[in-house]
Amino acid sequence: MPSWLILVIIGVVLVILGFSGVGTFLLWIGIAVLVISLILALAGGRRRV
């Protein structure tokens, strides 16, 4: 499983359980990792062509 997906899932569970500070932090970290990996994948794909 990708690391961003694990962070987002854990963040959602923590928000539901009431740990909103830690949960939202993990959600933002997971989203940031997802966006960065997408940008790197697009940049790497363009270099190969």
Side-chain angles (χ1 to χ4, degrees):
M1 222 188 306
S3 60
W4 63 268
L5 184 58
I6 294 171
L7 288 172
V8 169
I9 290 172
I10 292 172
V12 168
V13 169
L14 287 174
V15 167
I16 290 172
L17 290 178
F19 298 100
S20 61
V22 178
T24 53
F25 178 72
L26 288 178
L27 280 173
W28 283 112
I29 295 294
I31 291 170
V33 170
L34 170 64
V35 169
I36 291 170
S37 65
L38 285 175
I39 291 171
L40 290 175
L42 289 174
R46 289 184 181 164
R47 284 189 211 145
R48 293 181 195 155
V49 173

